[in-house]
Amino acid sequence: MNEQMFVDVLTDSEVVLDGSSYTCRRVDGGGAAQSCTSLFFPGCSFINYDPGLAGELFDDLRERGLVDGVTLLCCGKVLAFGEGAPAAKPAFQEELMGGLASRGVERIVAACPNCVAELEALFRAEGSGIAVVPLSEVLAQAGFKVTVEELAARLGEGGRGDATMPVAAVHDACPDRATGRFASSVRALFAPEALVEKAHYQERSFCCGSLANAAGHPDVAQSQALQHGAEACEAHAGALVVYCMSCARFLGTLQDSVPVFHYLELLFNKSIDWKNLSTDCELRFLSLSPGAPALP
């Protein structure tokens, strides 16, 4: 993994990620908080699984004038679990709201459906007018598109998939099920002829297996992942496309019926080896104070 540096506008920190290690130092802003109207929020999974792609995407969004800054902070969802959660989560949320207000944030572009759901719930509870926009909506509105030819080329790379079946089925993540914002906008990023639907999709979808695995039921997780792969094959899809990094990790690891792509891999011509991701770098930045991140 190549070294990737981010300047986090909410923590006034320069964060350098390099493999399973990181460094974090305060950036001298002259005592004044950096203003940021539109904030890119990649989320924990993204910065853990492919910080290089997260950095490239941020640079692209900023050059297009779609965001002004980035933060590596966690949305706080992980604080709902574990010892001390009842006290830790409200404290983190209060700190986060203060940081967003001090920077003048009006819009958050979030890459993760879990982050979108968590942040929207927080802002509703706080009566905040900050808008939370799925990254896929922003990219679709900017004109990004995956063609059948591009999908076929990716499937043919290294025998990853069957290039004679250049159609994909989208796996819809649990936290997006109620609104379908990621579901509809990710589909808009593909040429219509490049997509088919499997039996369970959008509001009828079911978990990738991550929730069962977290609850200590790996056999159920495996069964769910296998069913998603089987349904993709039944729909004559050559690949599964996902928009949640955690879903990609589970579906890319627990089933082999079809190859798995996060849609950003296709848009930015990247490849993530889902089966062999390092588990050493499990960073969760849970404080606006510059320094080491808290670990769950």
Side-chain angles (χ1 to χ4, degrees), residues 114-190:
N114 283 294
C115 291
V116 169
E118 186 73 20
L119 292 171
E120 285 187 329
L122 172 61
F123 297 157
R124 282 195 302 270
E126 295 292 329
S128 170
I130 299 175
V132 185
V133 185
L135 170 64
S136 51
E137 284 187 6
V138 172
L139 296 176
Q141 291 167 3
F144 283 79
K145 189 75 72 174
V146 177
T147 66
V148 171
E149 293 75 18
E150 289 168 336
L151 181 57
R154 294 305 305 277
L155 286 169
E157 289 178 358
R160 186 170 180 181
D162 186 352
T164 66
M165 296 176 61
V167 290
V170 177
H171 166 70
D172 293 300
C174 297
D176 187 64
R177 199 175 297 148
T179 65
R181 293 180 69 187
F182 274 95
S184 58
S185 54
V186 165
R187 286 167 172 81
L189 288 166
F190 287 78

Side-chain angles (χ1 to χ4, degrees), residues 68-140:
D68 308 316
V70 64
T71 183
L72 304 191
L73 283 177
C74 177
C75 66
K77 181 176 180 177
V78 297
L79 291 173
F81 312 97
E83 187 176 351
K89 187 169 184 178
F92 171 75
Q93 290 176 329
E94 181 179 359
E95 190 179 21
L96 176 61
M97 291 301 301
L100 294 170
S102 69
R103 273 66 172 181
V105 175
E106 299 176 1
R107 181 179 85 148
I108 290 176
V109 177
C112 173
N114 283 294
C115 291
V116 169
E118 186 73 20
L119 292 171
E120 285 187 329
L122 172 61
F123 297 157
R124 282 195 302 270
E126 295 292 329
S128 170
I130 299 175
V132 185
V133 185
L135 170 64
S136 51
E137 284 187 6
V138 172
L139 296 176

Side-chain angles (χ1 to χ4, degrees), residues 9 11-12 26-35 102-103:
V9 299
T11 65
D12 293 324
R26 188 170 186 86
V27 176
D28 184 6
Q34 179 181 344
S35 63
S102 69
R103 273 66 172 181

